[in-house]
Amino acid sequence: MTDVMSSAAELLGSRCRVLVTGGAGFIGGAVVRRLLNESEAIVFNLDKMGYASDLTSINQVLVSLGPEAADRHQLLKVDLCDAEAVAQSVKRADPDLVMHLAAESHVDRSISGPGVFIDSNVTGTYNLLQAVRLHYEGLPESRRGPFRLHHISTDEVFGSLGAHGRFEETTPYDPRSPYSASKAASDHLVNAWHHTFGLPVVLTNCSNNYGPWQFPEKLIPVVTLKAAAGEDIPLYGDGLNVRDWLYVEDHVDALLLAACKGESGRSYCVGGHGERTNREVVETICLQLDELKRSAAPHRDLIRRVTDRPGHDRRYAINPARISSELGWKPRHDVSTGFRETVRWYLDHQDWCSRVREQAHYDGGRLGTVT
Ligand code: NAD
Ligand code: TDX
């Protein structure tokens, strides 16, 4: 069993060139920071620098590591939809490991405009697979053994649970939003490239992540920022939908373990027993804000039930038994302390939130309703 606290350097072993796609996003950024902080690897960060991208956190790490680390982060500003540019990037990175996180990731946006989800998540993954396959076939024997393409996916591919049960690796796929359907398609492509062309791949399907540096369109930053500003807090439908929350750094632990120690062709479900209804999450954040930021009335008075998300999945929950028993993963943060730290972080970084929202031309308004 692998020690969950192993550093990135120990896990990477001989792999010294890592291609991370989507490294300017929320989870990819946490992966890049971990690789920079905990190893000597050169990190090639392929990202189209879309609306949710920002390099502030990576630049902070590079400054703290000093000038000799500057060359260890190489941004490749490339759209995965551009097959030729993807091929060139893979050639330039010459990777020992590929961690594929780049995707359009917001369910509400996939309802308002599904096309870009098909382009980025399906065609983009196809372009990456073709380029990586060529790269892998040209590798010398000594680099082939440890090589992996790690595809980072979501629990949403499994659909929607009732009151009981949890998703696991054998759960049939049943995606129900344009986002989850595009992610499911990409999972199938990755498995097909493994079985048909012998590409060594690992897949992970994780539950909802939370933590610092998430683009403020998802539930936790939206609620925190709106409540702090004294604005109405939108709770979709009856607020009883359940999500299984995991702190982003715990996800990064799981990703590095799966990428470096996972068995080729195998998938791992990742989740930290963090099930909460949306109403519980929103009320918890409001209580924390009552302590951190004085206001005339309790913040929960701002909660408003709004029209439900079309096709809103009722419940997600993960059984992480495989990654726990085979790779020794376990989460290091529990939801109550993780939420508290995260709420404080967004309160302390409201300037960053305003800046990235402005750059993205996003005013914090409701997305993903069907008229
Ligand atoms: P994010 O939206 O914060 O970041 C995604 C990054 O991918 C962005 O920087 C974006 O510019 C880039 N990207 C998108 N399309 C691209 C393209 N065509 N070419 C190049 N770059 C492109 O997303 P995130 O929350 O960090 O999610 C990362 C990955 O993890 C996604 O694959 C997502 O499906 C998966 N995931 C997310 C969660 C979650 O709770 N956020 C949970 C499980 C799995
Ligand atoms: O304002 C809101 N009010 C609200 O009630 C928002 C933004 C969301 N919600 C609800 C919808 C969901 O039930 O909160 C829940 C969480 O919503 P999101 O933060 O949009 O996440 P979700 O749709 O569950 O998807 C997330 O987890 C799985 C990520 O965005 C995906 O990328 C990941 O794959």
Side-chain angles (χ1 to χ4, degrees):
M1 188 182 286
T2 314
D3 176 5
V4 74
M5 301 300 284
S6 298
S7 72
E10 287 166 316
L11 289 169
L12 285 172
S14 63
R15 304 172 188 93
C16 52
R17 301 172 71 87
V18 184
L19 173 61
V20 178
T21 75
F26 167 50
I27 303 172
V31 169
V32 170
R33 295 195 301 273
R34 183 76 72 85
L35 291 170
L36 292 172
N37 272 322
E38 283 190 6
S39 80
E40 300 292 318
I42 304 177
V43 182
F44 295 86
N45 183 350
L46 186 159
D47 200 299
K48 71 177 176 186
M49 299 306 288
Y51 78 91
S53 308
D54 184 70
L55 294 174
T56 306
S57 69
I58 292 172
N59 288 333
Q60 285 177 359
V61 167
L62 289 171
V63 168
S64 75
L65 290 173
E68 62 277 12
D71 290 345
R72 287 189 41 227
H73 178 248
Q74 312 244 345
L75 177 68
L76 307 169
K77 187 171 180 293
V78 163
D79 191 323
L80 285 174
C81 298
D82 181 344
E84 183 52 39
V86 173
Q88 288 303 326
S89 300
V90 171
K91 222 173 181 178
R92 178 172 155 200
D94 184 21
D96 301 300
L97 172 66
V98 179
M99 298 180 77
H100 177 36
L101 295 104
E104 292 296 335
S105 71
H106 190 29
V107 174
D108 287 338
R109 287 183 191 261
S110 82
I111 297 165
S112 311
V116 68
F117 285 71
I118 309 304
D119 295 342
S120 286
N121 302 357
V122 185
T123 308
T125 298
Y126 161 72
N127 288 337
L128 183 71
L129 285 166
Q130 285 292 69
V132 170
R133 180 186 156 206
L134 196 70
H135 165 70
Y136 174 70
E137 286 168 358
L139 281 178
E141 207 54 43
S142 58
R143 290 181 67 198
R144 271 190 177 207
F147 182 88
R148 291 285 183 280
L149 179 137
H150 175 195
H151 178 60
I152 285 80
S153 192
T154 172
D155 59 357
E156 301 198 14
V157 299
F158 301 120
S160 183
L161 289 165
H164 305 288
R166 292 186 291 170
F167 298 133
E168 47 198 29
E169 291 78 7
T170 51
T171 305
Y173 275 44
D174 183 22
R176 294 149 52 102
S177 75
Y179 163 70
S180 55
S182 69
K183 289 296 292 186
S186 65
D187 292 13
H188 292 318
L189 289 175
V190 169
N191 280 321
W193 261 242
H194 171 69
H195 290 290
T196 309
F197 304 116
L199 190 66
V201 305
V202 169
L203 281 86
T204 47
N205 295 88
C206 187
S207 60
N208 286 58
N209 283 213
Y210 68 93
W213 307 109
Q214 184 172 36
F215 184 79
E217 63 184 351
K218 310 256 166 88
L219 182 67
I220 300 220
V222 163
V223 171
T224 307
L225 295 172
K226 286 198 182 285
E231 294 169 13
D232 288 355
I233 301 168
L235 187 60
Y236 296 176
D238 62 8
L240 297 181
N241 302 67
V242 172
R243 296 294 182 264
D244 188 352
W245 295 95
L246 183 70
Y247 191 63
V248 63
E249 292 296 336
D250 289 330
H251 189 194
V252 175
D253 288 344
L255 294 181
L256 290 171
L257 275 169
C260 299
K261 302 285 178 198
E263 193 184 312
S264 176
R266 205 150 171 79
S267 73
Y268 301 87
C269 283
V270 185
H273 307 287
E275 278 188 68
R276 298 285 186 281
T277 65
N278 293 337
R279 180 166 281 283
E280 285 170 325
V281 170
V282 171
E283 287 180 349
T284 303
I285 294 174
C286 287
L287 283 175
Q288 288 167 359
L289 280 169
D290 290 344
E291 286 172 26
L292 295 168
K293 196 173 186 298
R294 285 194 175 281
S295 66
H299 287 90
R300 61 170 295 165
D301 289 358
L302 297 166
I303 300 172
R304 299 283 178 273
R305 277 174 66 164
V306 298
T307 317
D308 208 353
R309 170 186 281 174
H312 198 177
D313 288 339
R314 192 61 172 171
R315 176 172 163 257
Y316 304 143
I318 285 276
N319 175 2
R322 178 182 283 179
I323 192 162
S324 302
S325 65
E326 294 184 12
L327 303 181
W329 176 81
K330 62 175 187 300
R332 290 189 267 159
H333 301 80
D334 67 57
V335 172
S336 43
T337 49
F339 275 3
R340 180 177 294 276
E341 280 170 29
T342 302
V343 167
R344 187 168 294 149
W345 190 92
Y346 283 99
L347 280 185
D348 292 344
H349 290 78
Q350 291 183 66
D351 288 353
W352 177 80
C353 294
S354 305
R355 182 166 60 73
V356 294
R357 267 186 181 167
E358 230 162 82
Q359 278 168 8
H361 307 293
Y362 173 57
D363 64 4
R366 177 80 194 263
L367 298 165
T369 48
V370 177
T371 45

PDB file of all heavy atoms in Angstrom, residues 105-108 154-156 179 207-208 217-219 222 234-236 241 243 245 278 309 312 316, ligand 2:
ATOM      1  N   SER A 105     -16.422  22.836 -17.655  1.00  0.00           N
ATOM      2  CA  SER A 105     -16.741  22.107 -16.420  1.00  0.00           C
ATOM      3  C   SER A 105     -18.035  22.533 -15.718  1.00  0.00           C
ATOM      4  O   SER A 105     -18.385  21.934 -14.710  1.00  0.00           O
ATOM      5  CB  SER A 105     -15.585  22.274 -15.429  1.00  0.00           C
ATOM      6  OG  SER A 105     -15.551  23.597 -14.938  1.00  0.00           O
ATOM      7  N   HIS A 106     -18.734  23.556 -16.222  1.00  0.00           N
ATOM      8  CA  HIS A 106     -19.887  24.040 -15.448  1.00  0.00           C
ATOM      9  C   HIS A 106     -21.208  23.565 -16.060  1.00  0.00           C
ATOM     10  O   HIS A 106     -21.551  23.927 -17.192  1.00  0.00           O
ATOM     11  CB  HIS A 106     -19.843  25.561 -15.367  1.00  0.00           C
ATOM     12  CG  HIS A 106     -20.841  26.131 -14.391  1.00  0.00           C
ATOM     13  ND1 HIS A 106     -21.269  25.460 -13.281  1.00  0.00           N
ATOM     14  CD2 HIS A 106     -21.483  27.328 -14.360  1.00  0.00           C
ATOM     15  CE1 HIS A 106     -22.134  26.196 -12.607  1.00  0.00           C
ATOM     16  NE2 HIS A 106     -22.290  27.335 -13.251  1.00  0.00           N
ATOM     17  N   VAL A 107     -21.950  22.765 -15.292  1.00  0.00           N
ATOM     18  CA  VAL A 107     -23.199  22.171 -15.778  1.00  0.00           C
ATOM     19  C   VAL A 107     -24.154  23.246 -16.304  1.00  0.00           C
ATOM     20  O   VAL A 107     -24.761  23.095 -17.376  1.00  0.00           O
ATOM     21  CB  VAL A 107     -23.871  21.363 -14.639  1.00  0.00           C
ATOM     22  CG1 VAL A 107     -25.246  20.856 -15.070  1.00  0.00           C
ATOM     23  CG2 VAL A 107     -22.990  20.194 -14.209  1.00  0.00           C
ATOM     24  N   ASP A 108     -24.301  24.360 -15.567  1.00  0.00           N
ATOM     25  CA  ASP A 108     -25.247  25.398 -16.003  1.00  0.00           C
ATOM     26  C   ASP A 108     -24.867  25.955 -17.376  1.00  0.00           C
ATOM     27  O   ASP A 108     -25.737  26.205 -18.217  1.00  0.00           O
ATOM     28  CB  ASP A 108     -25.287  26.541 -14.970  1.00  0.00           C
ATOM     29  CG  ASP A 108     -26.023  26.135 -13.692  1.00  0.00           C
ATOM     30  OD1 ASP A 108     -26.833  25.194 -13.748  1.00  0.00           O
ATOM     31  OD2 ASP A 108     -25.772  26.751 -12.643  1.00  0.00           O
ATOM     32  N   THR A 154     -15.510  12.764 -13.773  1.00  0.00           N
ATOM     33  CA  THR A 154     -16.441  13.182 -12.736  1.00  0.00           C
ATOM     34  C   THR A 154     -17.405  12.056 -12.375  1.00  0.00           C
ATOM     35  O   THR A 154     -17.665  11.165 -13.202  1.00  0.00           O
ATOM     36  CB  THR A 154     -17.242  14.400 -13.262  1.00  0.00           C
ATOM     37  OG1 THR A 154     -18.283  14.702 -12.341  1.00  0.00           O
ATOM     38  CG2 THR A 154     -17.870  14.140 -14.620  1.00  0.00           C
ATOM     39  N   ASP A 155     -17.982  12.142 -11.179  1.00  0.00           N
ATOM     40  CA  ASP A 155     -19.013  11.177 -10.781  1.00  0.00           C
ATOM     41  C   ASP A 155     -20.313  11.392 -11.554  1.00  0.00           C
ATOM     42  O   ASP A 155     -21.184  10.517 -11.575  1.00  0.00           O
ATOM     43  CB  ASP A 155     -19.279  11.243  -9.266  1.00  0.00           C
ATOM     44  CG  ASP A 155     -19.732  12.602  -8.759  1.00  0.00           C
ATOM     45  OD1 ASP A 155     -19.800  13.560  -9.560  1.00  0.00           O
ATOM     46  OD2 ASP A 155     -20.018  12.713  -7.547  1.00  0.00           O
ATOM     47  N   GLU A 156     -20.445  12.571 -12.199  1.00  0.00           N
ATOM     48  CA  GLU A 156     -21.715  12.884 -12.878  1.00  0.00           C
ATOM     49  C   GLU A 156     -21.988  11.956 -14.059  1.00  0.00           C
ATOM     50  O   GLU A 156     -23.128  11.865 -14.516  1.00  0.00           O
ATOM     51  CB  GLU A 156     -21.722  14.346 -13.339  1.00  0.00           C
ATOM     52  CG  GLU A 156     -21.538  15.290 -12.169  1.00  0.00           C
ATOM     53  CD  GLU A 156     -21.957  16.722 -12.445  1.00  0.00           C
ATOM     54  OE1 GLU A 156     -22.633  16.974 -13.453  1.00  0.00           O
ATOM     55  OE2 GLU A 156     -21.594  17.574 -11.635  1.00  0.00           O
ATOM     56  N   TYR A 179     -23.051  18.488 -20.027  1.00  0.00           N
ATOM     57  CA  TYR A 179     -21.700  18.385 -19.440  1.00  0.00           C
ATOM     58  C   TYR A 179     -21.350  16.928 -19.159  1.00  0.00           C
ATOM     59  O   TYR A 179     -20.317  16.427 -19.612  1.00  0.00           O
ATOM     60  CB  TYR A 179     -21.608  19.213 -18.150  1.00  0.00           C
ATOM     61  CG  TYR A 179     -20.426  18.839 -17.284  1.00  0.00           C
ATOM     62  CD1 TYR A 179     -19.115  19.134 -17.674  1.00  0.00           C
ATOM     63  CD2 TYR A 179     -20.602  18.157 -16.068  1.00  0.00           C
ATOM     64  CE1 TYR A 179     -18.032  18.773 -16.879  1.00  0.00           C
ATOM     65  CE2 TYR A 179     -19.517  17.793 -15.281  1.00  0.00           C
ATOM     66  CZ  TYR A 179     -18.239  18.105 -15.687  1.00  0.00           C
ATOM     67  OH  TYR A 179     -17.162  17.743 -14.904  1.00  0.00           O
ATOM     68  N   SER A 207     -16.041  13.279  -7.082  1.00  0.00           N
ATOM     69  CA  SER A 207     -17.230  14.043  -6.684  1.00  0.00           C
ATOM     70  C   SER A 207     -16.910  15.547  -6.658  1.00  0.00           C
ATOM     71  O   SER A 207     -15.810  15.968  -7.026  1.00  0.00           O
ATOM     72  CB  SER A 207     -17.688  13.565  -5.315  1.00  0.00           C
ATOM     73  OG  SER A 207     -16.650  13.760  -4.388  1.00  0.00           O
ATOM     74  N   ASN A 208     -17.852  16.342  -6.186  1.00  0.00           N
ATOM     75  CA  ASN A 208     -17.718  17.814  -6.194  1.00  0.00           C
ATOM     76  C   ASN A 208     -16.521  18.294  -5.371  1.00  0.00           C
ATOM     77  O   ASN A 208     -16.410  17.942  -4.201  1.00  0.00           O
ATOM     78  CB  ASN A 208     -18.962  18.474  -5.581  1.00  0.00           C
ATOM     79  CG  ASN A 208     -20.140  18.422  -6.501  1.00  0.00           C
ATOM     80  OD1 ASN A 208     -20.561  17.341  -6.898  1.00  0.00           O
ATOM     81  ND2 ASN A 208     -20.680  19.579  -6.839  1.00  0.00           N
ATOM     82  N   GLU A 217     -18.441  30.747 -10.053  1.00  0.00           N
ATOM     83  CA  GLU A 217     -19.726  30.466 -10.702  1.00  0.00           C
ATOM     84  C   GLU A 217     -20.355  29.219 -10.083  1.00  0.00           C
ATOM     85  O   GLU A 217     -21.514  28.923 -10.330  1.00  0.00           O
ATOM     86  CB  GLU A 217     -19.516  30.219 -12.208  1.00  0.00           C
ATOM     87  CG  GLU A 217     -18.643  29.000 -12.486  1.00  0.00           C
ATOM     88  CD  GLU A 217     -18.314  28.769 -13.938  1.00  0.00           C
ATOM     89  OE1 GLU A 217     -18.887  29.441 -14.815  1.00  0.00           O
ATOM     90  OE2 GLU A 217     -17.457  27.893 -14.206  1.00  0.00           O
ATOM     91  N   LYS A 218     -19.564  28.478  -9.282  1.00  0.00           N
ATOM     92  CA  LYS A 218     -20.041  27.229  -8.690  1.00  0.00           C
ATOM     93  C   LYS A 218     -20.574  27.504  -7.284  1.00  0.00           C
ATOM     94  O   LYS A 218     -20.342  28.572  -6.708  1.00  0.00           O
ATOM     95  CB  LYS A 218     -18.889  26.199  -8.656  1.00  0.00           C
ATOM     96  CG  LYS A 218     -18.180  26.047  -9.999  1.00  0.00           C
ATOM     97  CD  LYS A 218     -18.541  24.803 -10.757  1.00  0.00           C
ATOM     98  CE  LYS A 218     -18.084  24.849 -12.211  1.00  0.00           C
ATOM     99  NZ  LYS A 218     -16.737  24.363 -12.450  1.00  0.00           N
ATOM    100  N   LEU A 219     -21.281  26.539  -6.713  1.00  0.00           N
ATOM    101  CA  LEU A 219     -22.109  26.790  -5.524  1.00  0.00           C
ATOM    102  C   LEU A 219     -21.371  27.504  -4.381  1.00  0.00           C
ATOM    103  O   LEU A 219     -21.849  28.540  -3.888  1.00  0.00           O
ATOM    104  CB  LEU A 219     -22.698  25.473  -4.997  1.00  0.00           C
ATOM    105  CG  LEU A 219     -23.610  25.653  -3.776  1.00  0.00           C
ATOM    106  CD1 LEU A 219     -24.882  26.409  -4.140  1.00  0.00           C
ATOM    107  CD2 LEU A 219     -23.963  24.297  -3.154  1.00  0.00           C
ATOM    108  N   VAL A 222     -20.174  31.113  -5.125  1.00  0.00           N
ATOM    109  CA  VAL A 222     -21.356  31.941  -5.420  1.00  0.00           C
ATOM    110  C   VAL A 222     -22.057  32.318  -4.121  1.00  0.00           C
ATOM    111  O   VAL A 222     -22.347  33.491  -3.848  1.00  0.00           O
ATOM    112  CB  VAL A 222     -22.335  31.207  -6.375  1.00  0.00           C
ATOM    113  CG1 VAL A 222     -23.720  31.848  -6.357  1.00  0.00           C
ATOM    114  CG2 VAL A 222     -21.801  31.200  -7.803  1.00  0.00           C
ATOM    115  N   PRO A 234     -29.116  32.217  -4.342  1.00  0.00           N
ATOM    116  CA  PRO A 234     -30.028  31.354  -5.123  1.00  0.00           C
ATOM    117  C   PRO A 234     -29.875  29.884  -4.771  1.00  0.00           C
ATOM    118  O   PRO A 234     -28.809  29.290  -4.942  1.00  0.00           O
ATOM    119  CB  PRO A 234     -29.585  31.614  -6.569  1.00  0.00           C
ATOM    120  CG  PRO A 234     -28.147  32.032  -6.468  1.00  0.00           C
ATOM    121  CD  PRO A 234     -27.913  32.594  -5.100  1.00  0.00           C
ATOM    122  N   LEU A 235     -30.947  29.276  -4.284  1.00  0.00           N
ATOM    123  CA  LEU A 235     -30.969  27.838  -3.993  1.00  0.00           C
ATOM    124  C   LEU A 235     -31.905  27.192  -5.011  1.00  0.00           C
ATOM    125  O   LEU A 235     -33.106  27.484  -5.043  1.00  0.00           O
ATOM    126  CB  LEU A 235     -31.483  27.636  -2.560  1.00  0.00           C
ATOM    127  CG  LEU A 235     -31.432  26.223  -1.988  1.00  0.00           C
ATOM    128  CD1 LEU A 235     -30.008  25.680  -1.936  1.00  0.00           C
ATOM    129  CD2 LEU A 235     -32.042  26.215  -0.586  1.00  0.00           C
ATOM    130  N   TYR A 236     -31.326  26.309  -5.844  1.00  0.00           N
ATOM    131  CA  TYR A 236     -32.118  25.741  -6.940  1.00  0.00           C
ATOM    132  C   TYR A 236     -33.161  24.749  -6.396  1.00  0.00           C
ATOM    133  O   TYR A 236     -32.834  23.868  -5.576  1.00  0.00           O
ATOM    134  CB  TYR A 236     -31.228  24.977  -7.930  1.00  0.00           C
ATOM    135  CG  TYR A 236     -30.201  25.804  -8.686  1.00  0.00           C
ATOM    136  CD1 TYR A 236     -29.299  25.175  -9.550  1.00  0.00           C
ATOM    137  CD2 TYR A 236     -30.106  27.186  -8.555  1.00  0.00           C
ATOM    138  CE1 TYR A 236     -28.348  25.890 -10.259  1.00  0.00           C
ATOM    139  CE2 TYR A 236     -29.152  27.914  -9.260  1.00  0.00           C
ATOM    140  CZ  TYR A 236     -28.274  27.265 -10.095  1.00  0.00           C
ATOM    141  OH  TYR A 236     -27.328  27.970 -10.787  1.00  0.00           O
ATOM    142  N   ASN A 241     -31.179  18.537  -3.159  1.00  0.00           N
ATOM    143  CA  ASN A 241     -30.228  17.760  -3.964  1.00  0.00           C
ATOM    144  C   ASN A 241     -28.959  17.559  -3.124  1.00  0.00           C
ATOM    145  O   ASN A 241     -28.542  18.465  -2.406  1.00  0.00           O
ATOM    146  CB  ASN A 241     -29.886  18.499  -5.263  1.00  0.00           C
ATOM    147  CG  ASN A 241     -31.127  18.782  -6.074  1.00  0.00           C
ATOM    148  OD1 ASN A 241     -31.959  19.570  -5.645  1.00  0.00           O
ATOM    149  ND2 ASN A 241     -31.277  18.138  -7.211  1.00  0.00           N
ATOM    150  N   ARG A 243     -24.856  16.597  -2.824  1.00  0.00           N
ATOM    151  CA  ARG A 243     -23.553  16.485  -3.461  1.00  0.00           C
ATOM    152  C   ARG A 243     -22.574  15.943  -2.421  1.00  0.00           C
ATOM    153  O   ARG A 243     -22.764  16.140  -1.220  1.00  0.00           O
ATOM    154  CB  ARG A 243     -23.068  17.851  -3.995  1.00  0.00           C
ATOM    155  CG  ARG A 243     -23.965  18.434  -5.112  1.00  0.00           C
ATOM    156  CD  ARG A 243     -23.901  17.579  -6.351  1.00  0.00           C
ATOM    157  NE  ARG A 243     -24.666  18.055  -7.494  1.00  0.00           N
ATOM    158  CZ  ARG A 243     -25.902  17.644  -7.793  1.00  0.00           C
ATOM    159  NH1 ARG A 243     -26.526  16.775  -7.021  1.00  0.00           N
ATOM    160  NH2 ARG A 243     -26.509  18.096  -8.876  1.00  0.00           N
ATOM    161  N   TRP A 245     -19.011  16.343  -1.106  1.00  0.00           N
ATOM    162  CA  TRP A 245     -17.988  17.389  -1.218  1.00  0.00           C
ATOM    163  C   TRP A 245     -16.607  16.904  -0.807  1.00  0.00           C
ATOM    164  O   TRP A 245     -16.450  16.251   0.223  1.00  0.00           O
ATOM    165  CB  TRP A 245     -18.402  18.614  -0.383  1.00  0.00           C
ATOM    166  CG  TRP A 245     -19.639  19.244  -0.936  1.00  0.00           C
ATOM    167  CD1 TRP A 245     -20.924  19.022  -0.547  1.00  0.00           C
ATOM    168  CD2 TRP A 245     -19.702  20.176  -2.035  1.00  0.00           C
ATOM    169  NE1 TRP A 245     -21.794  19.760  -1.322  1.00  0.00           N
ATOM    170  CE2 TRP A 245     -21.074  20.481  -2.245  1.00  0.00           C
ATOM    171  CE3 TRP A 245     -18.754  20.783  -2.859  1.00  0.00           C
ATOM    172  CZ2 TRP A 245     -21.500  21.355  -3.232  1.00  0.00           C
ATOM    173  CZ3 TRP A 245     -19.173  21.655  -3.843  1.00  0.00           C
ATOM    174  CH2 TRP A 245     -20.533  21.936  -4.021  1.00  0.00           C
ATOM    175  N   ASN A 278     -27.871  20.627  -0.603  1.00  0.00           N
ATOM    176  CA  ASN A 278     -27.474  22.006  -0.919  1.00  0.00           C
ATOM    177  C   ASN A 278     -27.946  22.963   0.168  1.00  0.00           C
ATOM    178  O   ASN A 278     -27.250  23.924   0.498  1.00  0.00           O
ATOM    179  CB  ASN A 278     -28.043  22.422  -2.281  1.00  0.00           C
ATOM    180  CG  ASN A 278     -27.413  21.640  -3.419  1.00  0.00           C
ATOM    181  OD1 ASN A 278     -26.304  21.121  -3.282  1.00  0.00           O
ATOM    182  ND2 ASN A 278     -28.119  21.548  -4.540  1.00  0.00           N
ATOM    183  N   ARG A 309     -32.674  23.835 -11.718  1.00  0.00           N
ATOM    184  CA  ARG A 309     -31.842  23.548 -12.905  1.00  0.00           C
ATOM    185  C   ARG A 309     -32.551  22.480 -13.730  1.00  0.00           C
ATOM    186  O   ARG A 309     -33.001  21.459 -13.158  1.00  0.00           O
ATOM    187  CB  ARG A 309     -30.482  23.035 -12.417  1.00  0.00           C
ATOM    188  CG  ARG A 309     -29.573  22.459 -13.479  1.00  0.00           C
ATOM    189  CD  ARG A 309     -28.306  21.848 -12.862  1.00  0.00           C
ATOM    190  NE  ARG A 309     -27.318  22.842 -12.507  1.00  0.00           N
ATOM    191  CZ  ARG A 309     -26.199  22.557 -11.851  1.00  0.00           C
ATOM    192  NH1 ARG A 309     -25.920  21.329 -11.478  1.00  0.00           N
ATOM    193  NH2 ARG A 309     -25.341  23.515 -11.575  1.00  0.00           N
ATOM    194  N   HIS A 312     -31.937  18.476 -13.210  1.00  0.00           N
ATOM    195  CA  HIS A 312     -31.074  18.542 -12.026  1.00  0.00           C
ATOM    196  C   HIS A 312     -30.887  17.171 -11.376  1.00  0.00           C
ATOM    197  O   HIS A 312     -31.844  16.603 -10.825  1.00  0.00           O
ATOM    198  CB  HIS A 312     -31.739  19.507 -11.023  1.00  0.00           C
ATOM    199  CG  HIS A 312     -30.831  20.004  -9.971  1.00  0.00           C
ATOM    200  ND1 HIS A 312     -31.234  20.916  -9.023  1.00  0.00           N
ATOM    201  CD2 HIS A 312     -29.545  19.749  -9.699  1.00  0.00           C
ATOM    202  CE1 HIS A 312     -30.234  21.191  -8.224  1.00  0.00           C
ATOM    203  NE2 HIS A 312     -29.194  20.485  -8.615  1.00  0.00           N
ATOM    204  N   TYR A 316     -25.578  12.671  -5.617  1.00  0.00           N
ATOM    205  CA  TYR A 316     -24.320  11.987  -5.950  1.00  0.00           C
ATOM    206  C   TYR A 316     -23.680  11.518  -4.651  1.00  0.00           C
ATOM    207  O   TYR A 316     -23.707  12.248  -3.645  1.00  0.00           O
ATOM    208  CB  TYR A 316     -23.301  12.931  -6.616  1.00  0.00           C
ATOM    209  CG  TYR A 316     -23.736  13.664  -7.860  1.00  0.00           C
ATOM    210  CD1 TYR A 316     -23.309  14.974  -8.073  1.00  0.00           C
ATOM    211  CD2 TYR A 316     -24.510  13.056  -8.843  1.00  0.00           C
ATOM    212  CE1 TYR A 316     -23.670  15.674  -9.220  1.00  0.00           C
ATOM    213  CE2 TYR A 316     -24.867  13.744  -9.992  1.00  0.00           C
ATOM    214  CZ  TYR A 316     -24.443  15.051 -10.174  1.00  0.00           C
ATOM    215  OH  TYR A 316     -24.781  15.743 -11.307  1.00  0.00           O
TER     216      TYR A 316
HETATM  217  O1  TDX B   2     -26.255  29.180  -7.443  1.00  0.00           O
HETATM  218  C1  TDX B   2     -26.352  27.935  -7.318  1.00  0.00           C
HETATM  219  N1  TDX B   2     -27.381  27.416  -6.562  1.00  0.00           N
HETATM  220  C2  TDX B   2     -27.580  26.070  -6.400  1.00  0.00           C
HETATM  221  O2  TDX B   2     -28.508  25.645  -5.703  1.00  0.00           O
HETATM  222  C3  TDX B   2     -25.443  27.029  -7.954  1.00  0.00           C
HETATM  223  C4  TDX B   2     -24.301  27.545  -8.800  1.00  0.00           C
HETATM  224  C5  TDX B   2     -25.650  25.673  -7.777  1.00  0.00           C
HETATM  225  N2  TDX B   2     -26.688  25.213  -7.049  1.00  0.00           N
HETATM  226  C6  TDX B   2     -26.818  23.742  -6.852  1.00  0.00           C
HETATM  227  C7  TDX B   2     -26.777  22.889  -8.095  1.00  0.00           C
HETATM  228  C8  TDX B   2     -26.091  21.622  -7.616  1.00  0.00           C
HETATM  229  O3  TDX B   2     -27.068  20.726  -7.063  1.00  0.00           O
HETATM  230  O4  TDX B   2     -25.691  23.353  -6.065  1.00  0.00           O
HETATM  231  C9  TDX B   2     -25.179  22.086  -6.493  1.00  0.00           C
HETATM  232  C10 TDX B   2     -23.725  22.251  -6.901  1.00  0.00           C
HETATM  233  O5  TDX B   2     -23.738  22.973  -8.118  1.00  0.00           O
HETATM  234  P1  TDX B   2     -22.385  23.319  -8.904  1.00  0.00           P
HETATM  235  O6  TDX B   2     -21.444  23.987  -7.966  1.00  0.00           O
HETATM  236  O7  TDX B   2     -22.741  23.982 -10.175  1.00  0.00           O
HETATM  237  O8  TDX B   2     -21.775  21.852  -9.148  1.00  0.00           O
HETATM  238  P2  TDX B   2     -22.371  20.542  -9.877  1.00  0.00           P
HETATM  239  O9  TDX B   2     -23.395  20.874 -10.871  1.00  0.00           O
HETATM  240  O10 TDX B   2     -22.732  19.551  -8.798  1.00  0.00           O
HETATM  241  O11 TDX B   2     -21.035  20.042 -10.668  1.00  0.00           O
HETATM  242  C11 TDX B   2     -19.732  20.101 -10.037  1.00  0.00           C
HETATM  243  O12 TDX B   2     -19.347  18.856  -9.538  1.00  0.00           O
HETATM  244  C12 TDX B   2     -18.975  17.840 -10.456  1.00  0.00           C
HETATM  245  C13 TDX B   2     -18.686  20.633 -11.006  1.00  0.00           C
HETATM  246  O13 TDX B   2     -19.099  21.881 -11.528  1.00  0.00           O
HETATM  247  C14 TDX B   2     -18.402  19.636 -12.105  1.00  0.00           C
HETATM  248  O14 TDX B   2     -17.363  20.117 -12.931  1.00  0.00           O
HETATM  249  C15 TDX B   2     -17.992  18.338 -11.486  1.00  0.00           C
HETATM  250  O15 TDX B   2     -17.798  17.365 -12.470  1.00  0.00           O
END
